[in-house]
Amino acid sequence: MATPFPDVLPETDTETKTRRQPPYAVVLHNDDVNGMEYVVSVLRKIFGYSVEKCVELMLEAHEKGKAAVWVGALEVAELKADQVRSCGPDPQQKAKGAATLGVSVEPAA
């Protein structure tokens, strides 16, 4: 004998809401030892920006202490920060104690 099914099914919440991950920024910190040309070349290499934009970002970091150079997903921000670090210090400034460019990953404001 078959079990009778109700004519009306119970209401279910089928609407799902997806939440976007908050954006993160790759922040370049001021560096008084590595050369300005080197900083610009690293920004060009990693982010593919124009020379003009790289100079603006480098000067912002120099004048304000830090500058957000890229904003996006956390995983990509971490990758970009690692790529900047992997470039190492300015070879021409190693004798003066140059270290790897200072970058951090922070929640975007």
Side-chain angles (χ1 to χ4, degrees):
M1 177 173 188
T3 307
F5 288 104
D7 290 338
V8 179
L9 294 174
E11 230 179 273
T12 59
D13 186 13
T14 59
E15 185 177 325
T16 59
K17 294 183 181 181
T18 56
R19 291 187 305 156
R20 290 186 179 261
Q21 294 287 15
Y24 283 80
V26 176
V27 178
L28 175 68
H29 298 268
N30 184 37
D31 183 340
D32 291 327
V33 181
N34 287 299
M36 292 181 171
E37 297 83 14
Y38 179 72
V39 176
V40 169
S41 70
V42 169
L43 293 175
R44 288 202 61 191
K45 177 180 179 181
I46 304 302
F47 300 101
Y49 296 150
S50 67
V51 173
E52 294 80 14
K53 181 168 182 164
C54 293
V55 168
E56 282 179 30
L57 293 169
M58 178 269 306
L59 287 174
E60 181 181 344
H62 183 69
E63 293 168 0
K64 296 181 180 178
K66 62 183 183 177
V69 296
W70 187 87
V71 176
L74 175 60
E75 293 81 9
V76 180
E78 290 172 339
L79 172 67
K80 294 292 185 184
D82 286 342
Q83 289 174 332
V84 170
R85 289 183 199 107
S86 72
C87 290
D90 183 347
Q92 296 178 351
Q93 300 298 325
K94 267 189 172 179
K96 294 181 181 177
T100 302
L101 294 178
V103 291
S104 59
V105 175
E106 303 173 6

